[in-house]
Amino acid sequence: MKRAIYPGSFDPVTFGHMDIIKRAAIMFDEVVVAVLDNKAKTSLFSVEERVKMLQKVTEDVPNVRVDSFYGLLINYAARENIHVAIRGLRAVTDFEYELQIAQTNKLLSKGSLDTVFLTTDLKYAYLSSSGVKEIAYFDGDISECVPPYVEEKVLEKYRELRMNQKNR
Ligand code: PNS
């Protein structure tokens, strides 16, 4: 069985991520979308919220499973017996960062974890989770960037944060 892991922050999942997930799901028997539980990085959504959003937006892709992991990707991949990591490349600007992650994983895993890059569909080449958050923060329209369920959750989150700020 050919299995792959698609790791990331997914804060939140965008149409760009979904494009990669769906294409990877055609190439592999099972794709595990793994949300990094990174305490050092401030995120808009909790790991549980990100996992739930991913589960919801991939519910029509039967060979996709969503999980979260803490620590090194190579350790999680080894526990799951997965030897291929998937990453998306939007533009040449992503390359250096991605190459560094891929080479590090290959070295640390002693060759056990390789990386397959999928080039993001051109229509999503401009998309990033941080861009989505900035647009939503300033009340812009994110409906072209994320699925309706995620849009709802992002707007809800900013409404919540604004309420909390007001009540302080
Ligand atoms: O969506 P992101 O934030 O670009 O994803 C980065 C991610 C999660 C793939 C990367 O930071 C990662 O795998 N972190 C886990 C820790 C790890 O294994 N580090 C060694 C490779 S850099």
Side-chain angles (χ1 to χ4, degrees), residues 7-10 17 34-36 38 41 69 71-74 87 97-98 100-102 104-105 108:
S9 301
F10 305 105
H17 296 129
V35 179
L36 174 65
N38 188 352
K41 205 168 154 184
F69 72 103
L72 292 179
L73 176 66
I74 57 149
R87 291 287 288 172
Y97 171 65
E98 294 300 336
Q100 192 188 339
I101 297 180
T104 307
N105 285 335
L108 285 178

Side-chain angles (χ1 to χ4, degrees), residues 72-75 102-113:
L72 292 179
L73 176 66
I74 57 149
N75 293 338
Q103 303 283 36
T104 307
N105 285 335
K106 184 98 189 239
L107 188 82
L108 285 178
S109 69
K110 301 191 170 48
S112 167
L113 186 66

Side-chain angles (χ1 to χ4, degrees), residues 18 52-64 66:
M18 293 200 42
K52 196 172 165 205
M53 278 189 282
L54 276 159
Q55 279 168 339
K56 184 83 187 162
V57 300
T58 59
E59 64 190 1
D60 59 337
V61 196
N63 59 334
V64 167
V66 185

Side-chain angles (χ1 to χ4, degrees), residues 60-121:
D60 59 337
V61 196
N63 59 334
V64 167
R65 180 159 64 83
V66 185
D67 198 3
S68 63
F69 72 103
Y70 176 81
L72 292 179
L73 176 66
I74 57 149
N75 293 338
Y76 175 80
R79 280 198 302 276
E80 294 283 318
N81 197 22
I82 298 177
H83 303 284
V84 178
I86 306 278
R87 291 287 288 172
L89 280 178
R90 286 168 300 190
V92 72
T93 40
D94 281 341
F95 185 72
E96 226 169 299
Y97 171 65
E98 294 300 336
L99 183 69
Q100 192 188 339
I101 297 180
Q103 303 283 36
T104 307
N105 285 335
K106 184 98 189 239
L107 188 82
L108 285 178
S109 69
K110 301 191 170 48
S112 167
L113 186 66
D114 224 323
T115 303
V116 167
F117 292 108
L118 294 182
T119 51
T120 306
D121 192 305

